[in-house]
Amino acid sequence: MEKIWLAEYQKTGIPETVALPSENTSLVDIFESNFQKFGSRDAFIFMDKALTFSELEEASRKFAAYLQSLNLAKGTRVAVMMPNVLQYPVVALGVLRAGLVLVNVNPLYTARELEHQLNDSGAEVLVIIENFANVYQKIMGKTPVKHVVVASVGDMLGVLKGTLVNFVLRSVRKQIPAWDIPNHVKFNAAMAKANASQYKRPHLTLSDTAVLQYTGGTTGVSKGAELTHRNLVANLLQCDGIFQSKFGNQDGAPDDRIFCALPLYHIFAFMVCAMYGMYKGQANVLIPNPRDLPAVMKELRKYQPTFFPAVNTLFNALVNNDEFKQLDHSRLKMAMGGGMAVLPSTAEAWKKITGVNIVEGYGLSETSPVATANPPASNEFSGTIGIPLPLTEVAILDDDGNSLAIGEQGEICIRGPQVMKGYWNRPDETAKVMVNGFFRTGDIGVMDERGYVKIVDRKKDMILVSGFNVYPSEIEEVVAKHPKVLEVAAIGVADEKSGEVPKLFVVKKDPSLTTEEVLAFAKENLTGYKRPRYVEFMDELPKSNVGKILRKDLRKSA
């Protein structure tokens, strides 16, 4: 297959290839050498408390030692259900350093969603922030979890500040519902119990599994994309190859800061913020709630970022904020949009205010995640998802797996070292999405003569809400359980803030059913971004002659 995008590499300073390390290497090797190299530099900053690389090394080693004291077999899955707090990188690194597998869990999941993920992954350990401990309490005993570690937001903020923060969250803001989990261990107690000197470095290779990243894939049942150390190391080096024109091909500058407003349990932030920052020696400023714009502004004023990865929703909120327009953006070197399409109007306003172009990229959980990106050296917003990363091939294929000509529409398919090993314990689902080593993304696109790819449609019925995949079948499955619902179908409709939001079409079993009842039922069983915003009642749903609900007809009428 001809790599027509290589000419763009030469024009924009992207290396044609990146050298992957030997098989007997892992993410752990890379970060352990960087802990020494960047020792006194800040690694993560949260609520004005900085954690240096040396402190991160010691804390993650301690947590790894604690996990090893539980006598878990190598490769045991550890579920981590936390927002952007200092404990997240400590725990995530501790899991990897202990030779275990990290399972990222959305902390806003309902009990039903959490139960599915814990059972599917077979996680034996759950590390959870106390704000959501009551959710796990509802499903205790229904999953393989044997050990629960409960953290509090203030645990790593120092005694005085930490105590105050925890008091405010519990007693003033009342943000922590009552919970009771027998035999749980508090995060600080686990750390106090652990002896860093007892940590035993496991033998890890690039072929070992590092992370299970849950996604709907091409169907609605949430599946774990099995990402190996090779997948993640490769994507780290590929991203570095693309970003070199902004951050150099050596270590980052000592005062480089990444503004991490994306949730770390999402693969985009996990790699492009946390992992990339630790690789380059850049500090991540952790933002727990990007919807709280006054708090975001406060952090932006204090820590002027050099790198700003985000989704269109946040970029758009900022360019429409008067205070943001007044900030000093002189230190910003790069902004990157992913997760959902960046609108040209948002990109134009951002460049006008900051002087920096938004570099749009594209990827999926299954590709660790970045597969394509616009060259950061380019000053134009292309409106495309860019060109393939080094060592990555992108092909536009028809349904039979044949390559299509330049400019022809087909499925965007990706081959490269960052493509997942497969879906965890689901060879049947893996087989459906792989063709000749290419991963079928389910997105329909075209490639131009320079190798730039544009998404024109989606093959699958997925709804994209602020960069999160929402699968209609999951929403339908939940709402169909309502005793007054006969039939239900979900589609995505355009939304100015989120890109898309779910809309339901419902056929009533009981004429007394109201919109409010449907929405309340969905709220109880689905996390925020999956909840429908609109409900339309119908006498019947459009169906094919074999009885399949025709969502495309509903989209036309919406």
Side-chain angles (χ1 to χ4, degrees), residues 1-6 9 16-18 235 238 362-364 366-367 369-373 385-397 403 411-419 434-441 447 451-453:
M1 196 192 136
E2 195 192 346
K3 298 178 181 177
I4 55 177
W5 50 85
L6 293 184
Y9 283 8
E16 196 168 306
T17 187
V18 292
N235 207 234
Q238 291 168 315
Y362 169 76
L364 309 98
E366 292 91 339
T367 59
V370 192
T372 71
I385 55 170
I387 55 178
L389 265 58
L391 299 184
T392 306
E393 291 172 88
V394 170
I396 308 295
L397 305 181
S403 207
E411 187 167 7
I412 300 169
C413 299
I414 297 160
R415 183 161 67 186
Q418 73 271 53
V419 173
M434 299 304 295
V435 54
N436 300 327
F438 279 92
F439 169 70
R440 291 182 172 275
T441 66
M447 185 183 284
Y452 284 80
V453 180

Side-chain angles (χ1 to χ4, degrees), residues 55-339:
E55 289 166 337
L56 179 60
E57 195 282 329
E58 190 184 347
S60 62
R61 179 189 287 258
K62 266 190 172 184
F63 196 74
Y66 167 74
L67 289 171
Q68 289 179 333
S69 74
L70 301 177
N71 295 318
L72 306 167
K74 182 185 168 187
T76 296
R77 275 77 60 212
V78 178
V80 178
M81 188 170 175
M82 286 199 271
N84 290 7
V85 292
L86 289 176
Q87 295 93 310
Y88 179 90
V90 168
V91 169
L93 277 170
V95 170
L96 296 173
R97 294 182 81 182
L100 308 174
V101 176
L102 172 67
V103 182
N104 279 317
V105 182
N106 183 340
L108 298 179
Y109 266 176
T110 62
R112 182 193 67 83
E113 292 163 321
L114 178 60
E115 184 180 350
H116 167 76
Q117 193 166 328
L118 293 175
N119 280 320
D120 190 80
S121 64
E124 292 183 23
V125 183
L126 171 66
V127 186
I128 190 168
I129 201 99
E130 66 174 347
N131 309 47
F132 310 107
N134 69 313
V135 178
Y136 173 70
Q137 186 182 330
K138 293 172 189 171
I139 57 163
M140 277 188 314
K142 295 181 181 177
T143 73
V145 170
K146 296 173 187 162
H147 309 277
V148 179
V149 178
V150 182
S152 302
V153 172
D155 281 348
M156 296 189 70
L157 297 176
V159 177
L160 281 177
K161 188 172 184 177
T163 305
L164 180 63
V165 166
N166 289 337
F167 172 77
V168 169
L169 289 175
R170 290 169 190 157
S171 307
V172 180
R173 294 193 189 166
K174 308 255 189 282
Q175 287 182 352
I176 297 164
W179 57 274
D180 178 21
I181 300 172
N183 304 317
H184 76 274
V185 176
K186 287 281 177 70
F187 174 79
N188 280 351
M191 293 292 275
K193 226 194 295 191
N195 186 337
S197 63
Q198 290 176 332
Y199 167 69
K200 291 183 183 63
R201 177 83 159 67
H203 176 65
L204 290 167
T205 71
L206 289 179
S207 300
D208 284 310
T209 301
V211 174
L212 292 189
Q213 192 69 33
Y214 273 74
T215 171
T218 52
T219 60
V221 181
S222 186
K223 300 180 285 292
E226 188 175 353
L227 305 178
T228 63
H229 283 266
R230 177 182 286 102
N231 294 148
L232 300 178
V233 169
N235 207 234
L236 204 47
L237 299 176
Q238 291 168 315
C239 286
D240 193 40
I242 281 268
F243 299 164
Q244 274 177 24
S245 63
K246 295 295 177 187
F247 300 113
N249 59 3
Q250 302 299 316
D251 300 336
D255 58 352
D256 273 353
R257 290 198 190 105
I258 301 172
F259 201 74
C260 185
L262 296 161
L264 287 168
Y265 60 80
H266 192 285
I267 192 69
F268 184 24
F270 180 78
M271 288 300 291
V272 175
C273 296
M275 299 289 128
Y276 183 70
M278 287 190 287
Y279 179 65
K280 293 290 273 191
Q282 299 172 327
N284 264 279
V285 180
L286 299 180
I287 307 298
N289 179 14
R291 290 187 189 86
D292 183 354
L293 277 189
V296 169
M297 287 303 151
K298 192 175 156 199
E299 299 300 294
L300 281 172
R301 264 197 314 274
K302 217 178 296 169
Y303 306 104
Q304 296 169 6
T306 45
F307 184 22
F308 201 132
V311 290
N312 186 77
T313 319
L314 181 56
F315 285 131
N316 191 48
L318 291 173
V319 298
N320 286 297
N321 182 287
D322 289 333
E323 197 181 339
F324 181 75
K325 293 171 188 173
Q326 310 306 319
L327 292 179
D328 177 1
H329 301 289
S330 60
R331 297 189 67 249
L332 188 63
K333 296 177 185 176
M334 183 174 158
M336 186 177 196

